[in-house]
Amino acid sequence: MRKHWKALTAVGVVILAVAVAVILINRPAPAKEPDPSSLQASGKFGFPVSDIKIGEGGTKKASDGKTITGYNGTCDSAAQAAANYTHLIEDVNLTTWAQQKKTLTEVSKPGPWFEKVAFNGDLLANAKELPTGAFDGQWYSRADVVAGGLYRVASCEEEKQAVVQVFTGGVVASVNEAPSSFFQTVTFELAWDGDWKVSDAAIVPAGQDFGGRVKDAGPMSVGTNMGEAATPVLRDDLVNAFFKDKSREGWVEYANAKR
């Protein structure tokens, strides 16, 4: 009888093992996390394309009625905030400078960086004699962010801090000459205070790295003669020239970049 029970027990163990094996074989494999890069199309110049857009991302407007605020604290919203704040760093128009400076104050935190980025506007606003070359009604510099249309998130912790670089186009006045176009990178440090606030910003000179916070200063058109009074649509030769000796790693196109 004891042998009989041992035999039945052995058979039961075998049946159980077979059943477990069948379950394991037929159980679907765990789903793999999608690779974010596989969800992004490759843009015209080989950069991945994001689904976030310049001119979107917030729910409110600053006192100038056009600068978007009211972001949600994500890293994507930091990239949008940086793009939407770029005109506050780049633009200089004497008829709107006072309001622009007020708006920059609203979306930023005090620091030595503020006087540096406001220097050109303040200099012109307080000048006794204005230099010639203003275009389209007192414009001395005007950003065209969608013409550049690229960003790089150097670092980000949601609802805390982010460092974002924005590659923008633009037009600048030239004394006794027609205005000329340019491309350059604006680097932002953003701090979360119920909204993304600029805590530092600069046009980082070539060879510098924003105090170690970015890989490099980012692409710019210095030394590239475009010979155009309006910001051109980017071409392969321009992109190659701007990114010479600069890393392309991490750069992403905004969904509505001008191409």
Side-chain angles (χ1 to χ4, degrees):
M1 180 64 71
R2 183 175 296 176
K3 290 182 179 180
H4 178 68
W5 281 112
K6 285 183 178 180
L8 288 176
T9 301
V11 171
V13 170
V14 171
I15 292 173
L16 179 61
V18 171
V20 170
V22 169
I23 292 171
L24 290 174
I25 290 171
N26 291 307
R27 186 173 63 184
K32 292 183 178 180
E33 290 294 325
D35 179 2
S37 62
S38 68
L39 304 178
Q40 298 173 329
S42 178
K44 181 178 180 180
F45 305 111
F47 299 103
V49 179
S50 172
D51 59 358
I52 64 173
K53 294 183 177 181
I54 300 162
E56 296 183 1
T59 59
K60 301 176 183 177
K61 296 280 182 70
S63 64
D64 63 357
K66 67 177 184 179
T67 300
I68 298 172
T69 62
Y71 298 94
N72 62 16
T74 64
C75 294
D76 277 350
S77 74
Q80 288 178 297
N84 296 335
Y85 294 162
T86 294
H87 73 279
L88 298 173
I89 306 297
E90 290 280 3
D91 288 359
V92 178
N93 183 314
L94 295 189
T95 61
T96 58
W97 175 248
Q99 176 61 60
Q100 181 178 325
K101 192 174 179 181
K102 177 185 176 185
T103 302
L104 182 56
T105 302
E106 293 170 4
V107 302
S108 68
K109 290 179 171 290
W113 66 272
F114 190 98
E115 290 184 2
K116 293 177 182 178
V117 301
F119 178 80
N120 288 338
D122 283 343
L123 185 66
L124 287 167
N126 296 319
K128 293 181 179 179
E129 292 186 14
L130 293 173
T132 60
F135 59 95
D136 295 345
Q138 296 301 303
W139 282 100
Y140 283 87
S141 179
R142 182 171 61 201
D144 187 349
V145 185
V146 294
L150 292 168
Y151 70 93
R152 177 165 65 182
V153 178
S155 63
C156 180
E157 190 172 355
E158 293 189 350
E159 294 191 355
K160 286 194 175 180
Q161 191 175 65
V163 175
V164 182
Q165 293 176 288
V166 177
F167 181 61
T168 179
V171 177
V172 65
S174 298
V175 177
N176 297 324
E177 294 181 8
S180 59
S181 57
F182 67 87
F183 287 92
Q184 65 184 12
T185 299
V186 184
T187 301
F188 292 89
E189 180 186 77
L190 302 172
W192 183 254
D193 186 11
D195 202 353
W196 286 118
K197 303 283 188 178
V198 182
S199 53
D200 197 359
I203 311 298
V204 179
Q208 297 187 23
D209 57 8
F210 203 50
R213 288 169 285 178
V214 295
K215 293 178 184 293
D216 52 49
M220 58 186 67
S221 60
V222 174
T224 304
N225 183 12
M226 292 179 288
E228 300 183 47
T231 311
V233 176
L234 282 177
R235 309 183 301 266
D236 282 321
D237 61 312
L238 293 178
V239 172
N240 290 336
F242 300 159
F243 275 92
K244 184 180 180 181
D245 301 324
K246 300 290 193 308
S247 173
R248 295 194 181 208
E249 184 180 356
W251 284 99
V252 179
E253 276 193 12
Y254 289 102
N256 57 342
K258 188 192 299 181
R259 297 291 181 260

